[in-house]
Each structure stands twice: as structure tokens, then as C-alpha cells.
Amino acid sequence: MLHTTPPPIDRRDAGFTIIEVLIALAVVAVSIVAIGSVMSTNVRGVRLLEQHVTLMQTARSVMTADLPSGAELGPGALSGQVNDYRWKIDIGPLGEGWAVPGADVAWIPALVRIQVQSPSGAVSDLKTVRLVRGPPK
């Protein structure tokens, strides 16, 4: 059998120098910091998006559940709270001159403004038009 001896390891080109190792560690550290920065930005964006979706869902819930029907809807303001989200509904005229003298119109348009505020302070302001009973004749 042939017996071979391994090459000597005390040569100058036998491994990495301390400078090469430090440069490699610096490159890895910079890469990890960059990845961490991207991840934290993504997490922050997702959190803001989730808060916005919850705010919009609450506003939709207020519109469907807490807004009175057309027959009960009249000028004024309503307010309340749903799961730490405060809401306010303002109902007012949509301009002037909708009541036509002598016309047999029982309904006139009203501007309905729905404002929902989240616990963090974000506000959603929605406006819609609903028909309300006109003044009695």
C-alpha cells in the first residue's frame, strides 16, 4: 500500500487570513441588517393595512346596523361606540330647494356623513345620500 503524507498546513496559502474572515463577517452582518430592515418595514405595513381594514369594516357595520331606515331617518346626529371604535352620524339637508310647493313628493335627499374613529386615532369619513321623509304638508 502506498502511504501518502498530507500536505503541510503551515504554508502561507493554507487557509483564510483574519482579514478575510472579518470581511466575510462584515458582509454577512450587513446582509442580515438589510433583511431585518425590510422585514420590519413589511410588518409595519401589514399592521397599518390590518388597522385600515378593521376601520373600514367597522364603518360598514355602522352604516348597515346603526343607521336608521329611510322612514325613521331625519335630520340630526347620532353617536355610539363599537369595540372601542367611536362613531358619529350627521344627517342634514343636501342643498336647498328640494321641497317643491304643490308637488306630491314625500321623500327628499339628505346628506349622511358617517365618521368612525379607531382607538389609535385614525378616522374614516364616509358620505352618502339617503332619501328621508319630507316635511309634512
Side-chain angles (χ1 to χ4, degrees):
M1 290 213 209
L2 290 172
H3 192 310
T4 59
T5 59
I9 58 171
D10 58 352
R11 295 186 346 213
R12 287 182 56 77
D13 61 345
F16 296 109
T17 64
I18 191 72
I19 299 294
E20 293 170 332
V21 171
L22 289 176
I23 290 173
L25 285 175
V27 168
V28 169
V30 168
S31 300
I32 289 174
V33 168
I35 290 170
S37 174
V38 168
M39 292 298 294
S40 70
T41 302
N42 286 344
V43 167
R44 200 171 326 130
V46 167
R47 187 176 308 120
L48 288 173
L49 185 60
E50 287 174 346
Q51 289 173 353
H52 180 72
V53 167
T54 305
L55 183 65
M56 290 296 108
Q57 287 175 337
T58 304
R60 184 176 180 175
S61 169
V62 167
M63 275 184 72
T64 57
D66 297 316
L67 190 61
S69 67
E72 301 167 354
L73 198 62
L78 303 167
S79 63
Q81 189 167 343
V82 176
N83 298 333
D84 294 332
Y85 286 78
R86 293 192 323 255
W87 57 267
K88 181 180 176 185
I89 300 174
D90 290 319
I91 305 162
L94 181 67
E96 299 294 328
W98 292 99
V100 178
D104 189 22
V105 178
W107 300 91
I108 58 171
L111 178 64
V112 179
R113 181 176 176 224
I114 302 163
Q115 190 175 44
V116 180
Q117 184 175 8
S118 73
S120 66
V123 176
S124 172
D125 194 13
L126 304 172
K127 294 177 184 169
T128 186
V129 176
R130 296 282 174 104
L131 291 176
V132 298
R133 288 228 178 254
K137 296 178 182 172

